[in-house]
Amino acid sequence: PYLNWLDYLYYLSFMKVVITASKYIPQALLNMRRKSCVGWNIWNILLDISGGILSLIQLVADAVDLNDLSSIAGNSAKLGLSGVSIFFDIIFLLQHYVWYPEHDDVKK
């Protein structure tokens, strides 16, 4: 079957969402098994969640500007990436600050 370029790009964007989810899962599981967040920097997560939130805000702002809220779902890759990122970043923030707060980030 013939794929046009737009379909091909949609498949690639779906793959990016899957790859993004798969990069977060091992770290979340490792933190959960160890009951610790020692060894990684929370600043990466804070920057990542801010990017996900800003991306979501941009989607909503574009939809409001176009008077078409259905356009939010029109960019499914951007919506999926921001949703996956925000979801896992919230898990990491909970792990770091609530569930396993005993960590020594810097040993001197």
Side-chain angles (χ1 to χ4, degrees):
Y2 176 73
L3 281 179
N4 64 28
W5 279 103
L6 187 58
D7 289 337
Y8 179 71
L9 292 175
Y10 278 136
Y11 289 129
L12 288 179
S13 65
F14 176 72
M15 291 301 297
K16 183 169 181 167
V17 173
V18 170
I19 290 169
T20 298
S22 68
K23 78 176 184 177
Y24 288 121
I25 292 170
Q27 185 65 52
L29 291 175
L30 180 67
N31 292 348
M32 185 182 70
R33 283 189 199 120
R34 293 186 311 158
K35 305 259 187 270
S36 172
C37 296
V38 174
W40 60 278
N41 195 334
I42 193 66
W43 285 103
N44 292 333
I45 302 305
L46 295 172
L47 291 171
D48 195 45
I49 197 168
S50 65
I53 290 170
L54 289 171
S55 181
L56 200 57
I57 289 171
Q58 183 182 23
L59 273 176
V60 171
D62 287 344
V64 169
D65 185 47
L66 295 172
N67 278 339
D68 181 21
L69 293 180
S70 66
S71 67
I72 292 174
N75 194 344
S76 57
K78 191 171 193 174
L79 182 62
L81 284 172
S82 63
V84 167
S85 294
I86 291 169
F87 174 77
F88 279 103
D89 290 339
I90 288 171
I91 289 174
F92 290 137
L93 289 170
L94 287 170
Q95 286 179 335
H96 191 77
Y97 290 113
V98 178
W99 298 331
Y100 321 123
E102 309 84 27
H103 46 79
D104 296 320
D105 288 334
V106 179
K107 292 192 178 195
K108 294 181 180 182

